[in-house]
Amino acid sequence: MKKIKTLFLVLAFILVSLFTLSSCVFLSEEYKAFKEEYLRLLDEYNILNKQNTTLKSEVQIINQIDTNYQELVQNETETFALFSTLENDVIKSTLLITEKEIDYNWRMMISESGSIGSGFIIKEDDNYYYALTNNHVVSSEANASFTKIYVTDYNQKEYNGTVLYKNADYDMALVRFSKNASNPLNVITLASSDAAINDTVIAIGNPYGQLNSIGIGKVTNYQVPNYQRSAVSNVTYSNVVHSAYMMPGNSGGMLINDSLEVVGINTFGSTNSTYEKTTGLASPVSKINEFLLLAGVTL
Amino acid sequence: MRKVKVLLIVGLLFFVTSCTVQIPTDNYDEHLSELSASILDLQAQNTALSAELEAANVRMAEIMSDIENHYDKDTLYNWFNKCNIYAVRSNVKIALTTSNSPFNLGDPVYSSGVIIASSGSTYYAIGSYFATKAVEKGMFTSYKIYDAFETSYSASLVSYDQNLGLALFRFTVNSGNELNVMKVRSSDLEEYDPVCTIFSLSNSTYNHMIYSTITDKASDTGYVDYDLYITKIDVISSIYGAMNVDVDGKLAGIVLLTKNSSYEAYFAPASIINQFLNNVFN
């Protein structure tokens, strides 16, 4: 009896095992089908996902191109507006400064000589405009019997100028001239800080007496000018070195940034014969402020 | 004891088989429907993205066709410098004084011009035919040219072409002023191309510059038989003979007409200038 029980138990186990195994085989088939379908769908999902990533990337690239294009158009519009402002408004602050030296010889004959340079209006009151220029523009080293300063505005209207203060250590001079109500001029603002290297700068002046010449360049460096110092020009501090077009006659002209604020006063400049490589040096606005403090001028 | 062993072996077999087969316990349908839902979502996303891409491609085509009409800051600054350093020194102001009597000349009428050739100290400037109209009427005329530095010289009329609307003047420079001879473009500009218009006005003594783009062409001006190019410029005075300078710093046209009411200047293109110069010099 005991043997039969054992046998029965064994049989029962075997049957259960067989049943389980057959179930497993059945489930395995179902699983296989599921797996195949799952993998098919997964493939489809992956393809779609890849497409999705590609589409997103392509749309993103085109959107970026569109953004760059909008920026280009916007910059272009702003640049045209800048040109227009420079040619129509900013030039109304620029001046041609002429110093005439008159000598009388032993026969009381008069001979005239002089120099030209540029300047710009930094202040006005009810009766006068106040302009900055270079000291070497208004101060002759020669022993002239008589010197006279003329200020010519952007449209060649001439005024008598008076030098109120000058300082060779800054190579700057403050010139005053009378206002003419029928011929209003513009005052230009000084920047609050010096220009940085690579900043866009614009030099405005009168090279060889050509009125209202404008050149655009960049600040390339700061350096102490290496030149023959004299009693009228003895600059020993670092100047703004820039690539904006400069020629004789630009001395004393303004150097402004692209916000149209003065960042310097042009003092020296040179260019090659084809005008392609210009180097200009300008006293930075921080030095202009020091000079104005010494001159007792409050803006 | 043996039976126990058999039982253990069978039990072990059963256990091992169960573990090896690893019967999944999850719900298949749930998995598949989740994945199908994700696929549907992706398909919807991709459909939307494809539509977005299609629109973006249309925009891209617009950008690509228009982008060549636009210039970056550096190019524009370079152009500005070319106009200010070189082209401006080609600008001249032409003063025409006319009268019925050679002894009683009237007030001068001013127009602009551009230096296009030189030989030693002799310079040639093109201007508008407008400046020569009095010649045809048989009046006594006298020409004076002012350079970019406002130095004046006596000038003479070399040639003019009423059909092309242009005139050529000659003058001799003895001032030492460094003047510039403009090169003429070989081809005409197109719509949206930028031009710098440089000119002199009768009531001012400096060289004016206006930066703009070509907006259109005009065929029926009633002035010349060919198409004139139009630029919108903010100027109220007449600027006949003004030069138009392209981004390469070359002469692209000469203004022949202005419409002050619409702030438009109409200029003869480079091909007409070249035709005129060929007619004169050949």
PDB file of all heavy atoms in Angstrom, chain B residues 213-240:
ATOM      1  N   THR B 213      18.970 101.625 -50.870  1.00  0.00           N
ATOM      2  CA  THR B 213      18.966 100.459 -51.760  1.00  0.00           C
ATOM      3  C   THR B 213      18.082 100.764 -52.970  1.00  0.00           C
ATOM      4  O   THR B 213      17.216 101.638 -52.907  1.00  0.00           O
ATOM      5  CB  THR B 213      18.419  99.203 -51.049  1.00  0.00           C
ATOM      6  OG1 THR B 213      17.155  99.529 -50.489  1.00  0.00           O
ATOM      7  CG2 THR B 213      19.344  98.710 -49.969  1.00  0.00           C
ATOM      8  N   ILE B 214      18.310 100.001 -54.042  1.00  0.00           N
ATOM      9  CA  ILE B 214      17.492 100.191 -55.248  1.00  0.00           C
ATOM     10  C   ILE B 214      16.117  99.585 -54.989  1.00  0.00           C
ATOM     11  O   ILE B 214      16.007  98.443 -54.535  1.00  0.00           O
ATOM     12  CB  ILE B 214      18.163  99.506 -56.459  1.00  0.00           C
ATOM     13  CG1 ILE B 214      19.480 100.216 -56.770  1.00  0.00           C
ATOM     14  CG2 ILE B 214      17.245  99.530 -57.677  1.00  0.00           C
ATOM     15  CD1 ILE B 214      20.338  99.488 -57.771  1.00  0.00           C
ATOM     16  N   THR B 215      15.096 100.359 -55.256  1.00  0.00           N
ATOM     17  CA  THR B 215      13.744  99.863 -54.961  1.00  0.00           C
ATOM     18  C   THR B 215      13.022  99.376 -56.208  1.00  0.00           C
ATOM     19  O   THR B 215      12.163  98.500 -56.112  1.00  0.00           O
ATOM     20  CB  THR B 215      12.888 100.963 -54.309  1.00  0.00           C
ATOM     21  OG1 THR B 215      12.904 102.105 -55.175  1.00  0.00           O
ATOM     22  CG2 THR B 215      13.425 101.351 -52.946  1.00  0.00           C
ATOM     23  N   ASP B 216      13.391  99.923 -57.370  1.00  0.00           N
ATOM     24  CA  ASP B 216      12.607  99.573 -58.565  1.00  0.00           C
ATOM     25  C   ASP B 216      13.306 100.129 -59.815  1.00  0.00           C
ATOM     26  O   ASP B 216      14.329 100.797 -59.720  1.00  0.00           O
ATOM     27  CB  ASP B 216      11.209 100.194 -58.441  1.00  0.00           C
ATOM     28  CG  ASP B 216      10.170  99.394 -59.203  1.00  0.00           C
ATOM     29  OD1 ASP B 216      10.562  98.489 -59.967  1.00  0.00           O
ATOM     30  OD2 ASP B 216       8.969  99.680 -59.045  1.00  0.00           O
ATOM     31  N   LYS B 217      12.675  99.839 -60.961  1.00  0.00           N
ATOM     32  CA  LYS B 217      13.111 100.463 -62.219  1.00  0.00           C
ATOM     33  C   LYS B 217      11.930 101.240 -62.767  1.00  0.00           C
ATOM     34  O   LYS B 217      10.778 100.876 -62.531  1.00  0.00           O
ATOM     35  CB  LYS B 217      13.501  99.388 -63.236  1.00  0.00           C
ATOM     36  CG  LYS B 217      14.840  98.742 -62.992  1.00  0.00           C
ATOM     37  CD  LYS B 217      15.106  97.762 -64.125  1.00  0.00           C
ATOM     38  CE  LYS B 217      16.231  96.819 -63.798  1.00  0.00           C
ATOM     39  NZ  LYS B 217      16.419  95.818 -64.845  1.00  0.00           N
ATOM     40  N   ALA B 218      12.234 102.277 -63.527  1.00  0.00           N
ATOM     41  CA  ALA B 218      11.154 103.053 -64.140  1.00  0.00           C
ATOM     42  C   ALA B 218      11.400 103.120 -65.634  1.00  0.00           C
ATOM     43  O   ALA B 218      12.486 103.493 -66.079  1.00  0.00           O
ATOM     44  CB  ALA B 218      11.122 104.447 -63.543  1.00  0.00           C
ATOM     45  N   SER B 219      10.403 102.728 -66.422  1.00  0.00           N
ATOM     46  CA  SER B 219      10.598 102.718 -67.871  1.00  0.00           C
ATOM     47  C   SER B 219      10.045 103.972 -68.557  1.00  0.00           C
ATOM     48  O   SER B 219      10.634 104.455 -69.513  1.00  0.00           O
ATOM     49  CB  SER B 219       9.970 101.454 -68.466  1.00  0.00           C
ATOM     50  OG  SER B 219       8.647 101.344 -68.020  1.00  0.00           O
ATOM     51  N   ASP B 220       8.944 104.480 -68.052  1.00  0.00           N
ATOM     52  CA  ASP B 220       8.323 105.625 -68.741  1.00  0.00           C
ATOM     53  C   ASP B 220       8.576 106.920 -67.980  1.00  0.00           C
ATOM     54  O   ASP B 220       7.680 107.496 -67.379  1.00  0.00           O
ATOM     55  CB  ASP B 220       6.805 105.391 -68.876  1.00  0.00           C
ATOM     56  CG  ASP B 220       6.524 104.192 -69.745  1.00  0.00           C
ATOM     57  OD1 ASP B 220       7.254 104.004 -70.732  1.00  0.00           O
ATOM     58  OD2 ASP B 220       5.587 103.437 -69.413  1.00  0.00           O
ATOM     59  N   THR B 221       9.806 107.346 -68.027  1.00  0.00           N
ATOM     60  CA  THR B 221      10.122 108.583 -67.303  1.00  0.00           C
ATOM     61  C   THR B 221       9.864 109.817 -68.162  1.00  0.00           C
ATOM     62  O   THR B 221       9.769 110.929 -67.649  1.00  0.00           O
ATOM     63  CB  THR B 221      11.606 108.591 -66.889  1.00  0.00           C
ATOM     64  OG1 THR B 221      12.405 108.401 -68.049  1.00  0.00           O
ATOM     65  CG2 THR B 221      11.905 107.513 -65.867  1.00  0.00           C
ATOM     66  N   GLY B 222       9.796 109.609 -69.483  1.00  0.00           N
ATOM     67  CA  GLY B 222       9.615 110.732 -70.385  1.00  0.00           C
ATOM     68  C   GLY B 222      10.884 111.561 -70.521  1.00  0.00           C
ATOM     69  O   GLY B 222      10.874 112.655 -71.073  1.00  0.00           O
ATOM     70  N   TYR B 223      11.967 111.056 -70.017  1.00  0.00           N
ATOM     71  CA  TYR B 223      13.228 111.790 -70.010  1.00  0.00           C
ATOM     72  C   TYR B 223      14.253 111.100 -70.898  1.00  0.00           C
ATOM     73  O   TYR B 223      14.909 111.738 -71.711  1.00  0.00           O
ATOM     74  CB  TYR B 223      13.731 111.885 -68.566  1.00  0.00           C
ATOM     75  CG  TYR B 223      14.877 112.849 -68.384  1.00  0.00           C
ATOM     76  CD1 TYR B 223      14.672 114.222 -68.434  1.00  0.00           C
ATOM     77  CD2 TYR B 223      16.168 112.391 -68.132  1.00  0.00           C
ATOM     78  CE1 TYR B 223      15.723 115.108 -68.265  1.00  0.00           C
ATOM     79  CE2 TYR B 223      17.218 113.267 -67.951  1.00  0.00           C
ATOM     80  CZ  TYR B 223      16.997 114.624 -68.021  1.00  0.00           C
ATOM     81  OH  TYR B 223      18.033 115.506 -67.854  1.00  0.00           O
ATOM     82  N   VAL B 224      14.374 109.791 -70.726  1.00  0.00           N
ATOM     83  CA  VAL B 224      15.263 108.981 -71.581  1.00  0.00           C
ATOM     84  C   VAL B 224      14.504 107.725 -72.010  1.00  0.00           C
ATOM     85  O   VAL B 224      13.467 107.384 -71.424  1.00  0.00           O
ATOM     86  CB  VAL B 224      16.553 108.567 -70.824  1.00  0.00           C
ATOM     87  CG1 VAL B 224      17.494 109.738 -70.666  1.00  0.00           C
ATOM     88  CG2 VAL B 224      16.230 107.945 -69.474  1.00  0.00           C
ATOM     89  N   ASP B 225      15.051 107.024 -73.021  1.00  0.00           N
ATOM     90  CA  ASP B 225      14.334 105.869 -73.574  1.00  0.00           C
ATOM     91  C   ASP B 225      14.588 104.564 -72.814  1.00  0.00           C
ATOM     92  O   ASP B 225      13.913 103.582 -73.031  1.00  0.00           O
ATOM     93  CB  ASP B 225      14.747 105.658 -75.044  1.00  0.00           C
ATOM     94  CG  ASP B 225      14.240 106.809 -75.891  1.00  0.00           C
ATOM     95  OD1 ASP B 225      13.252 107.436 -75.465  1.00  0.00           O
ATOM     96  OD2 ASP B 225      14.840 107.084 -76.946  1.00  0.00           O
ATOM     97  N   TYR B 226      15.581 104.564 -71.971  1.00  0.00           N
ATOM     98  CA  TYR B 226      15.922 103.322 -71.260  1.00  0.00           C
ATOM     99  C   TYR B 226      15.382 103.363 -69.816  1.00  0.00           C
ATOM    100  O   TYR B 226      14.917 104.414 -69.350  1.00  0.00           O
ATOM    101  CB  TYR B 226      17.443 103.109 -71.255  1.00  0.00           C
ATOM    102  CG  TYR B 226      18.221 104.279 -70.687  1.00  0.00           C
ATOM    103  CD1 TYR B 226      18.467 104.378 -69.321  1.00  0.00           C
ATOM    104  CD2 TYR B 226      18.715 105.290 -71.506  1.00  0.00           C
ATOM    105  CE1 TYR B 226      19.176 105.440 -68.788  1.00  0.00           C
ATOM    106  CE2 TYR B 226      19.425 106.359 -70.983  1.00  0.00           C
ATOM    107  CZ  TYR B 226      19.642 106.424 -69.625  1.00  0.00           C
ATOM    108  OH  TYR B 226      20.334 107.483 -69.094  1.00  0.00           O
ATOM    109  N   ASP B 227      15.487 102.206 -69.138  1.00  0.00           N
ATOM    110  CA  ASP B 227      14.994 102.123 -67.753  1.00  0.00           C
ATOM    111  C   ASP B 227      15.937 102.862 -66.810  1.00  0.00           C
ATOM    112  O   ASP B 227      17.151 102.641 -66.835  1.00  0.00           O
ATOM    113  CB  ASP B 227      14.921 100.656 -67.303  1.00  0.00           C
ATOM    114  CG  ASP B 227      13.768  99.934 -67.962  1.00  0.00           C
ATOM    115  OD1 ASP B 227      12.995 100.592 -68.691  1.00  0.00           O
ATOM    116  OD2 ASP B 227      13.642  98.705 -67.740  1.00  0.00           O
ATOM    117  N   LEU B 228      15.358 103.692 -65.971  1.00  0.00           N
ATOM    118  CA  LEU B 228      16.146 104.323 -64.910  1.00  0.00           C
ATOM    119  C   LEU B 228      15.928 103.527 -63.622  1.00  0.00           C
ATOM    120  O   LEU B 228      14.871 102.937 -63.415  1.00  0.00           O
ATOM    121  CB  LEU B 228      15.706 105.777 -64.712  1.00  0.00           C
ATOM    122  CG  LEU B 228      16.028 106.757 -65.850  1.00  0.00           C
ATOM    123  CD1 LEU B 228      15.434 108.120 -65.556  1.00  0.00           C
ATOM    124  CD2 LEU B 228      17.526 106.877 -66.058  1.00  0.00           C
ATOM    125  N   TYR B 229      16.936 103.520 -62.775  1.00  0.00           N
ATOM    126  CA  TYR B 229      16.836 102.801 -61.504  1.00  0.00           C
ATOM    127  C   TYR B 229      16.415 103.782 -60.410  1.00  0.00           C
ATOM    128  O   TYR B 229      16.850 104.935 -60.398  1.00  0.00           O
ATOM    129  CB  TYR B 229      18.191 102.177 -61.144  1.00  0.00           C
ATOM    130  CG  TYR B 229      18.552 100.968 -61.984  1.00  0.00           C
ATOM    131  CD1 TYR B 229      18.636 101.057 -63.370  1.00  0.00           C
ATOM    132  CD2 TYR B 229      18.806  99.738 -61.392  1.00  0.00           C
ATOM    133  CE1 TYR B 229      18.956  99.963 -64.147  1.00  0.00           C
ATOM    134  CE2 TYR B 229      19.136  98.628 -62.165  1.00  0.00           C
ATOM    135  CZ  TYR B 229      19.205  98.753 -63.543  1.00  0.00           C
ATOM    136  OH  TYR B 229      19.518  97.654 -64.297  1.00  0.00           O
ATOM    137  N   ILE B 230      15.600 103.266 -59.491  1.00  0.00           N
ATOM    138  CA  ILE B 230      15.046 104.159 -58.456  1.00  0.00           C
ATOM    139  C   ILE B 230      15.633 103.826 -57.087  1.00  0.00           C
ATOM    140  O   ILE B 230      15.750 102.658 -56.708  1.00  0.00           O
ATOM    141  CB  ILE B 230      13.510 104.022 -58.373  1.00  0.00           C
ATOM    142  CG1 ILE B 230      12.876 104.286 -59.747  1.00  0.00           C
ATOM    143  CG2 ILE B 230      12.924 104.972 -57.333  1.00  0.00           C
ATOM    144  CD1 ILE B 230      11.387 104.026 -59.796  1.00  0.00           C
ATOM    145  N   THR B 231      16.022 104.872 -56.361  1.00  0.00           N
ATOM    146  CA  THR B 231      16.389 104.703 -54.952  1.00  0.00           C
ATOM    147  C   THR B 231      15.564 105.681 -54.130  1.00  0.00           C
ATOM    148  O   THR B 231      15.219 106.761 -54.607  1.00  0.00           O
ATOM    149  CB  THR B 231      17.880 105.013 -54.690  1.00  0.00           C
ATOM    150  OG1 THR B 231      18.151 106.317 -55.181  1.00  0.00           O
ATOM    151  CG2 THR B 231      18.794 104.011 -55.341  1.00  0.00           C
ATOM    152  N   LYS B 232      15.244 105.260 -52.918  1.00  0.00           N
ATOM    153  CA  LYS B 232      14.512 106.142 -52.004  1.00  0.00           C
ATOM    154  C   LYS B 232      15.548 106.908 -51.192  1.00  0.00           C
ATOM    155  O   LYS B 232      16.334 106.299 -50.462  1.00  0.00           O
ATOM    156  CB  LYS B 232      13.660 105.314 -51.042  1.00  0.00           C
ATOM    157  CG  LYS B 232      12.435 104.697 -51.672  1.00  0.00           C
ATOM    158  CD  LYS B 232      11.237 105.606 -51.495  1.00  0.00           C
ATOM    159  CE  LYS B 232       9.989 104.935 -52.059  1.00  0.00           C
ATOM    160  NZ  LYS B 232       8.859 105.873 -52.117  1.00  0.00           N
ATOM    161  N   ILE B 233      15.572 108.198 -51.338  1.00  0.00           N
ATOM    162  CA  ILE B 233      16.539 108.952 -50.560  1.00  0.00           C
ATOM    163  C   ILE B 233      15.892 110.164 -49.914  1.00  0.00           C
ATOM    164  O   ILE B 233      15.032 110.811 -50.495  1.00  0.00           O
ATOM    165  CB  ILE B 233      17.765 109.376 -51.409  1.00  0.00           C
ATOM    166  CG1 ILE B 233      17.337 110.170 -52.636  1.00  0.00           C
ATOM    167  CG2 ILE B 233      18.580 108.188 -51.825  1.00  0.00           C
ATOM    168  CD1 ILE B 233      18.502 110.742 -53.387  1.00  0.00           C
ATOM    169  N   ASP B 234      16.327 110.416 -48.714  1.00  0.00           N
ATOM    170  CA  ASP B 234      15.728 111.478 -47.916  1.00  0.00           C
ATOM    171  C   ASP B 234      16.407 112.807 -48.249  1.00  0.00           C
ATOM    172  O   ASP B 234      17.232 113.306 -47.500  1.00  0.00           O
ATOM    173  CB  ASP B 234      15.901 111.129 -46.434  1.00  0.00           C
ATOM    174  CG  ASP B 234      15.170 112.112 -45.558  1.00  0.00           C
ATOM    175  OD1 ASP B 234      14.353 112.876 -46.087  1.00  0.00           O
ATOM    176  OD2 ASP B 234      15.424 112.115 -44.342  1.00  0.00           O
ATOM    177  N   VAL B 235      16.067 113.355 -49.400  1.00  0.00           N
ATOM    178  CA  VAL B 235      16.668 114.632 -49.795  1.00  0.00           C
ATOM    179  C   VAL B 235      15.595 115.471 -50.484  1.00  0.00           C
ATOM    180  O   VAL B 235      14.754 114.941 -51.211  1.00  0.00           O
ATOM    181  CB  VAL B 235      17.894 114.411 -50.706  1.00  0.00           C
ATOM    182  CG1 VAL B 235      17.501 113.757 -52.005  1.00  0.00           C
ATOM    183  CG2 VAL B 235      18.613 115.707 -50.967  1.00  0.00           C
ATOM    184  N   ILE B 236      15.611 116.737 -50.222  1.00  0.00           N
ATOM    185  CA  ILE B 236      14.554 117.558 -50.802  1.00  0.00           C
ATOM    186  C   ILE B 236      15.057 118.411 -51.963  1.00  0.00           C
ATOM    187  O   ILE B 236      14.282 119.005 -52.678  1.00  0.00           O
ATOM    188  CB  ILE B 236      13.891 118.468 -49.745  1.00  0.00           C
ATOM    189  CG1 ILE B 236      14.954 119.240 -48.976  1.00  0.00           C
ATOM    190  CG2 ILE B 236      13.018 117.668 -48.812  1.00  0.00           C
ATOM    191  CD1 ILE B 236      14.397 120.361 -48.149  1.00  0.00           C
ATOM    192  N   SER B 237      16.355 118.463 -52.136  1.00  0.00           N
ATOM    193  CA  SER B 237      16.887 119.283 -53.224  1.00  0.00           C
ATOM    194  C   SER B 237      17.197 118.424 -54.435  1.00  0.00           C
ATOM    195  O   SER B 237      17.302 117.215 -54.337  1.00  0.00           O
ATOM    196  CB  SER B 237      18.167 119.977 -52.778  1.00  0.00           C
ATOM    197  OG  SER B 237      17.927 120.697 -51.618  1.00  0.00           O
ATOM    198  N   SER B 238      17.378 119.067 -55.546  1.00  0.00           N
ATOM    199  CA  SER B 238      17.742 118.361 -56.770  1.00  0.00           C
ATOM    200  C   SER B 238      19.202 117.900 -56.672  1.00  0.00           C
ATOM    201  O   SER B 238      20.058 118.632 -56.197  1.00  0.00           O
ATOM    202  CB  SER B 238      17.602 119.304 -57.958  1.00  0.00           C
ATOM    203  OG  SER B 238      16.256 119.706 -58.049  1.00  0.00           O
ATOM    204  N   ILE B 239      19.431 116.702 -57.136  1.00  0.00           N
ATOM    205  CA  ILE B 239      20.803 116.169 -57.043  1.00  0.00           C
ATOM    206  C   ILE B 239      21.237 115.604 -58.386  1.00  0.00           C
ATOM    207  O   ILE B 239      21.856 114.558 -58.455  1.00  0.00           O
ATOM    208  CB  ILE B 239      20.919 115.110 -55.931  1.00  0.00           C
ATOM    209  CG1 ILE B 239      19.868 114.017 -56.109  1.00  0.00           C
ATOM    210  CG2 ILE B 239      20.813 115.737 -54.569  1.00  0.00           C
ATOM    211  CD1 ILE B 239      20.114 112.797 -55.241  1.00  0.00           C
ATOM    212  N   TYR B 240      20.910 116.310 -59.459  1.00  0.00           N
ATOM    213  CA  TYR B 240      21.282 115.860 -60.802  1.00  0.00           C
ATOM    214  C   TYR B 240      22.794 115.612 -60.895  1.00  0.00           C
ATOM    215  O   TYR B 240      23.577 116.411 -60.414  1.00  0.00           O
ATOM    216  CB  TYR B 240      20.904 116.908 -61.846  1.00  0.00           C
ATOM    217  CG  TYR B 240      19.458 117.311 -61.787  1.00  0.00           C
ATOM    218  CD1 TYR B 240      19.100 118.580 -61.341  1.00  0.00           C
ATOM    219  CD2 TYR B 240      18.451 116.427 -62.159  1.00  0.00           C
ATOM    220  CE1 TYR B 240      17.767 118.955 -61.269  1.00  0.00           C
ATOM    221  CE2 TYR B 240      17.118 116.806 -62.091  1.00  0.00           C
ATOM    222  CZ  TYR B 240      16.782 118.072 -61.644  1.00  0.00           C
ATOM    223  OH  TYR B 240      15.477 118.434 -61.571  1.00  0.00           O
TER     224      TYR B 240
END
